[in-house]
């Protein structure tokens, strides 16, 4: 018996979970319960007075791997493929990535030849990191921080100027706290299994090559088949992609599709408590109680925890232990082209002790008419330290403009801006995260709770990750119920 399904959260993950669940006609009795006045969650595309898109959340998506394939298939099914704007590997926004260190911008090596040269701020060719790895002793561990792993195997300079700013850009986190399994799981496993990253890479890729060479061509697609966006991405060598008009169109299209299939979307409905019963689960929200057969939660672990604490305090404590950080996003628009170099943008290593995490050159990705658009990211793991608990938007704007003008040598003031404080927007996969998630999964199975989890708190913080986790949650519902 399928019964009714409640989906907590109307962001991209909750909407996607409901969408995938709708594929099975037996599970179309769905209600999405969203605390805010809109769907879309952190995906929000604002439009400036000049018609320029200001993205408060993600602005580009990578097309690679199973998760990238899944998202592009979703875009195709929503009839959004004609709005895709691809950025190839040869585009300056894909090739040129910079860091700001020692009061200078440095372009990171983007070719094999560059790996053999000394590029500032490094004092050695980056290829020498491979020698460092081969010389480093093997250390058997279950987990460790990204910073520790990279420092041990590749050197302190790689940890300071490569991985630390990268973590700032991906999850606004501190590489000294984030688990190596978050970004470098395969490299960590190479060391654990083969003794070093280099040895593991060579052996595993040799095995993969031998396996691939034994395959037949029977799995190749028919030339007459309609080409998908994922096939386009592979054929045209996309590095990243976005949507014309902003990425918020993705959750908007999902919400429209769900409404057309009879899915209820209840806005301004804050869930207060979940009570599991023999027949399912009772949800208390907006002063009333409703019964459902099951719940898919796309909420952050931190927000879900208090709803179940009265009945399952142990599970609630594990969920609460998954931290998150607040990020301030400041979008700026300048008249004309004020940039000296085209690039994706730059990141700031934490050891520079600046109050900004980095700046994205939006207008290099999607050039608007006669203007430069930049997005400044601030705070993250250092939000309270740099800005206190409740900074004003005016102060955040002042800090962002000052550093952008100083670092990029811009004399003019911005003609338009947008400031957003995204509270607890990015979960932090600290050391021990994988073990904690396994414990949470085991608890749900042991107690036979009709609760299914998706979203950024568990299996990846990127847009591709949360959409795939939604698909997997929907699949688990249909398999278990």
């Amino acid at each position: 018996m399928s019964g009714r399904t409640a989906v907590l959260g109307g962001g991209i993950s909750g909407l996607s979970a409901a969408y995938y669940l709708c594929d099975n006609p037996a599970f179309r009795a769905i209600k999405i319960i969203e605390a805010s006045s809109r769907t879309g969650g952190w995906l929000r595309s604002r439009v400036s007075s000049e018609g320029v898109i200001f993205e408060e959340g993600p602005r580009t998506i990578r097309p690679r791997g199973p998760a990238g394939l899944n998202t592009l298939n979703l875009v195709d099914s929503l009839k959004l493929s004609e709005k895709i704007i691809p950025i190839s590997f040869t585009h300056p926004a894909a090739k040129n990535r910079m860091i700001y260190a020692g009061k200078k911008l440095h372009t990171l090596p983007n070719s094999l030849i560059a790996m053999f040269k000394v590029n500032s701020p490094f004092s050695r060719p980056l290829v020498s990191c491979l020698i460092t790895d081969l010389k480093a002793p093997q250390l058997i561990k279950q987990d460790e921080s990204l910073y520790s792993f990279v420092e041990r195997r590749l050197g302190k300079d790689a940890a300071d100027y490569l991985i630390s700013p990268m973590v700032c850009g991906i999850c606004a986190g501190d590489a000294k706290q984030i688990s190596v399994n978050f970004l470098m799981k395969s490299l960590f496993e190479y060391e654990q299994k083969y003794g070093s990253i280099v040895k593991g890479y060579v052996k595993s890729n040799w095995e993969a090559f031998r396996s691939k060479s034994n395959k037949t061509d029977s799995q190749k697609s028919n030339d007459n088949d309609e080409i998908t966006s994922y096939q386009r991405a592979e054929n045209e060598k996309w590095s990243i992609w976005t949507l014309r008009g902003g990425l918020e169109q993705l959750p908007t299209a999902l919400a429209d599709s769900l409404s057309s299939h009879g899915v209820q979307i209840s806005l301004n409905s804050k869930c207060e408590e979940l009570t599991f019963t023999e027949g399912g689960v009772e949800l208390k929200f907006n002063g009333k109680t409703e019964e459902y057969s099951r719940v898919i939660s796309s909420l952050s672990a931190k927000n879900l925890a208090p709803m179940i604490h009265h009945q399952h305090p142990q599970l609630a404590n594990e969920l609460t232990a998954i931290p998150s950080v607040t990020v301030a996003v400041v979008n700026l628009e300048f008249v004309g082209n004020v940039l000296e170099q085209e690039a994706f943008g730059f990141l700031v290593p934490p050891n520079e002790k600046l109050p900004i995490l980095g700046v994205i050159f939006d207008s290099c990705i999607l050039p608007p008419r006669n203007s430069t658009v930049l997005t400044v990211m601030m705070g993250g793991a250092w939000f309270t330290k740099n800005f206190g608990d409740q900074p004003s938007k005016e102060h955040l704007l002042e800090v962002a403009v000052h550093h952008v003008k100083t670092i990029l040598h811009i004399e003019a003031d911005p003609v338009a801006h947008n400031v957003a404080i995204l509270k607890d927007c990015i979960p932090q996969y600290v050391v021990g995260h994988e073990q904690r998630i396994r414990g949470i999964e085991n608890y749900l199975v042991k107690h036979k709770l009709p609760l299914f989890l998706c979203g950024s708190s568990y299996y990846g913080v990127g847009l591709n990750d949360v959409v795939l986790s939604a698909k997997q949650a929907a699949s688990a519902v249909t398999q278990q119920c």
Side-chain angles (χ1 to χ4, degrees), residues 122 176 220 444:
F122 304 96
K176 294 181 178 179
K220 288 185 178 180
L444 295 174

Side-chain angles (χ1 to χ4, degrees), residues 302-327:
K302 180 179 180 179
N303 287 340
L304 175 62
M307 300 178 191
I308 61 173
H309 189 274
H310 69 291
Q311 200 175 27
H312 294 278
Q314 180 183 340
L315 177 58
N317 290 338
E318 288 299 311
L319 293 169
T320 303
I322 300 174
S324 57
V325 298
T326 297
V327 177

